[in-house]
Amino acid sequence: NARLHDAPVSFYDRVNILTIRFVTSLAFCDRTSQGTNCDVNETNNESCSVLVNDSKSFGPAFNSVGGGWYAIERTPSFVKVFFWERYSTSVPGNVKNCGSTVDTGSWGTPAAYYPNTDCDFSTHLGPQSIVIDLDLCGTWAGDANVYAESGCPSTCDDYVNQNPSAFQTAYFTFNSIHIYE
């Protein structure tokens, strides 16, 4: 199935002003996630998500602590996503001070864990790309029902088009991005 083969692993997703903090995987079928049906075409683009157990992993709270560190580890056996607040004493040394290699063995419990149990990674997960995106009225956030649940006024398209100043602080700043193979 080509659609699943190209499925992304999202570090996090957030819709409108809702305070959820999800690490989302669109191709996996594990039972440790919020959902067990990861087909975005059948779940209104919700897929399978894991709630990050740190209120400062996204949004204004994330910004208030100076950001943080996200890391993803993908192997033939699992995908793990890690998060540490920027100034946390638990940030591993090999995350703070990157070298030519990395050892994830000391990183502790991941924020999300997708084992290769119910899905064959070799057929469901192809090459990955890094996409940094603010999708203001995308498939999920722009859905009329999802948008209405957030309590935001009018429709997503109307609000974005009529209130550009509301997005002056909608941006990303990255100190670095490292990729290890």
Side-chain angles (χ1 to χ4, degrees):
N1 185 326
R3 181 181 46 76
L4 287 178
H5 184 71
D6 295 330
V9 176
S10 300
F11 270 77
Y12 52 80
D13 290 318
R14 180 179 180 192
V15 173
N16 306 318
I17 59 172
L18 302 177
T19 58
I20 54 175
R21 302 159 311 278
F22 287 127
V23 173
T24 305
S25 169
L26 302 180
F28 305 107
C29 302
D30 74 291
R31 303 296 183 240
T32 63
S33 61
Q34 300 278 31
T36 57
N37 182 353
C38 300
D39 187 335
V40 295
N41 295 311
E42 295 177 11
T43 62
N44 194 28
N45 206 34
E46 290 182 18
S47 69
C48 291
S49 301
V50 173
L51 182 64
V52 177
N53 192 22
D54 186 326
S55 64
K56 296 176 181 155
S57 65
F58 193 86
F62 179 79
N63 296 342
S64 74
V65 296
W69 308 80
Y70 273 94
I72 186 169
E73 179 181 18
R74 176 184 162 192
T75 74
S77 302
F78 60 81
V79 173
K80 294 179 181 178
V81 179
F82 297 87
F83 171 74
W84 305 272
E85 292 177 24
R86 182 174 185 154
Y87 298 108
S88 170
T89 58
S90 65
V91 179
N94 62 6
V95 171
K96 287 182 190 177
N97 305 302
C98 299
S100 59
T101 62
V102 66
D103 177 10
T104 62
S106 64
W107 288 11
T109 304
Y113 175 65
Y114 297 96
N116 187 358
T117 53
D118 294 335
C119 291
D120 179 9
F121 285 7
S122 66
T123 60
H124 285 73
L125 186 61
Q128 299 290 288
S129 298
I130 296 174
V131 177
I132 301 164
D133 184 14
L134 288 174
D135 194 357
L136 297 177
C137 292
T139 305
W140 186 20
D143 177 88
N145 293 326
V146 173
Y147 187 78
E149 287 176 24
S150 70
C152 294
S154 68
T155 67
C156 186
D157 287 332
D158 287 345
Y159 184 76
V160 169
N161 289 330
Q162 295 172 16
N163 298 282
S165 63
F167 305 99
Q168 288 178 344
T169 59
Y171 62 89
F172 298 101
T173 301
F174 294 91
N175 288 338
S176 62
I177 296 175
H178 298 271
I179 301 169
Y180 299 91
E181 294 186 57

